[in-house]
Structures are given as structure tokens and as C-alpha cells.
Amino acid sequence: MTDFGRLVTAMVTPFDERLEVNWEQLPALVDYLIEVQKSETLVVCGTTGESPTLTDEERKRMVESVVRLAKGRAKVIAGASNNDTLHSVQLTLEAEAAGADGVLIVAPYYNRPSQTGIYEHYKAIAQATKLPIMMYNIPSRCGIDVEVDTTLRLANEFENIVASKEAHGDLDHITALVGKAPSHLKIYCGDDSLTLPYLSVGAYGVVSVASHVIGGQIRSMVNAYADGDPVKARKLHHELFPLFRGMFNCPHRVPNPAPVKHALNLKGIQVGGLRLPMLPVNEAEGQFIEELLAKL
């Protein structure tokens, strides 16, 4: 059974001044996330990694590079999502060839298929690969919700569907999913500020963005809850909550990964800017993030 650990980091893609992938900076970023921020698994070329603006060749090289750089210290999940099922299959097979430990597959976005269409999408990918699959349900971005029954149907039929990243605030959904999930299916929170509430109804861990800068603290919070110390977990949650929210509201809502890239640059981990249509934070937003980091 595949275990990606309780702290998974959705890794940014470092860019240079020309907004080309900064391959020279990549080793320092990988080492930092594993050794300093205590990430147990890295998601490469997910949304936080700006996958919509990466070429297929860049994605393939990113996965190959991070697998090599991680050197077994952390597992590597490759983002292989597309709203074209055949393209997702292609990206999945390339990730498998590149040595990834698993793939992250978001629900088909924009074209908004039926639940049967969602099922067939994941079925095609699961049948095409031996890699473990982490499903990704984020209704606010995809325009569709992967319903509990759809996730359970897939997990019960395909043993390589081993996890679901859920990024929404519907705790009834999570409660029902955890309560009926087969033993091999682990549920991950996809929104840092909801991690502790998710854990309280049975989620296993978190796929985090804030772990780029407070990974050790997040891992301590999750482990405290898992080890039977909810008081310590709650205390850490309250301490970290301003940064959880601030990474997405600085001082108004700013799309990921602009805030976390700015935070990393402030900490001396040079990951550069963002490719259009994403934009870096403005001066006021940058000052807000700097003040947040200073308080922590």
C-alpha cells in the first residue's frame, strides 16, 4: 500500500528572470522543502507549480529532475491533469517513465462532465498505469464536484486509486467519504486552513502550499493530532492560522502561487516570478506577506 505521508507539499516551479524554468535553482528548492520544511512527498507540476503554463517537455523534465534530486528522501507525485482524458493518460505514462511515485489527477475542468463522465475519465487513467493515483476534487476551480459515490466507486474498483485531495469546506462530504472509504484510500485536505477540521473527521493528511515556509510546524500539528494530542494540534492551528489565510488574502484574495513565491523569495529561496496570466504580488501585498512572516 502506498503511503505518501501526512505532509505533502504542492511545490512551486522556480523561474529565472526570463521566466524560463530555473534548473540551477531546483536542487536548492528540493533540498529546502525536504530537509528544512520536512515534506514527506512533493507534488511536481500541479496547479501551484503553474502546470497550465508549462510545456509537456518541461513537465517531463521537472518530474525526472525532482525524482533524481529527492534521492529517495521524499516521494514524488507528478501532476498529470488535463481536461482531455487522452492527454491526461499521456502525461501519466510520461510521469511513470520518469520515475514518479504517483500522479495527481484533478477532475476535468471547464467542460464539466457528468459524474459518469468523471468516472470514465479516472477509469481510463487508472487502467493505463500501475502508478498510484491521487484524485483531486476542487469544485471552485473545476466547476464540478466529484461526488462521494463517484470517488468511492472508483476507489473500490481500482486499487491504484489510493488517495483523494479534497479542497473545499464541505465537512459533510469529507465525513461521508472517510466513513465509507476502503482501507487503501486516504483523504487529504487541500486547503491549509481546513487541515485540522478535516483531521477531526478522519482525514489522513494535507497537501499544503503554506508548507513552503512553515512545513515543520504543519507536520507537527498533523502528527500531534494523529498521536492523540488534539490540544497541541489546536494550539498550533491557531498559531499558524494567520499565515494559512494570509497566503491567499494579502490584503485581498490573491491567486496561488503568487503569495508563496513572494514568501520564498523573501526567505532567500529564489523561485522568481510567474508566467502570464498569473501576476506577482503588488507592493502592498508583498509588504503584508513580509509582516506575516516576521510575526511567525
Side-chain angles (χ1 to χ4, degrees), residues 38-110:
K38 309 303 180 184
S39 300
E40 296 171 89
T41 294
L42 302 176
V43 174
V44 184
C45 303
T47 309
T48 302
E50 299 177 69
S51 57
T53 64
L54 297 176
T55 67
D56 285 1
E57 182 56 37
E58 286 174 328
R59 289 167 75 135
K60 179 181 178 182
R61 184 177 172 187
M62 275 289 295
V63 176
E64 291 173 339
S65 298
V66 176
V67 167
R68 183 181 69 255
L69 293 166
K71 299 176 183 175
R73 295 173 294 164
K75 289 187 170 64
V76 177
I77 296 176
S81 300
N82 196 276
N83 60 349
D84 170 2
T85 301
L86 290 180
H87 195 183
S88 272
V89 169
Q90 174 194 332
L91 292 171
T92 297
L93 294 177
E94 289 178 356
E96 185 172 346
D101 298 293
V103 288
L104 177 71
I105 307 291
V106 76
Y109 44 87
Y110 188 76

Side-chain angles (χ1 to χ4, degrees), residues 229-286:
D229 192 348
V231 174
K232 178 180 178 180
R234 185 172 66 243
K235 181 176 183 293
L236 286 166
H237 169 77
H238 283 285
E239 289 175 359
L240 301 176
F241 187 77
L243 195 136
F244 288 158
R245 299 307 301 155
M247 279 290 122
F248 296 94
N249 297 275
C250 54
H252 56 274
R253 187 162 182 83
V254 177
N256 178 51
V260 73
K261 275 199 155 183
H262 186 74
L264 284 168
N265 288 329
L266 287 172
K267 290 175 69 67
I269 308 298
Q270 298 304 319
V271 293
L274 297 90
R275 288 178 176 174
L276 287 170
M278 306 301 287
L279 293 172
V281 298
N282 62 32
E283 184 176 352
E285 293 158 353

Side-chain angles (χ1 to χ4, degrees), residues 186-205:
K186 291 182 171 63
I187 308 305
Y188 285 81
C189 180
D191 186 334
D192 281 300
S193 67
L194 292 174
T195 302
L196 187 56
Y198 266 55
L199 294 174
S200 74
V201 295
Y204 185 74

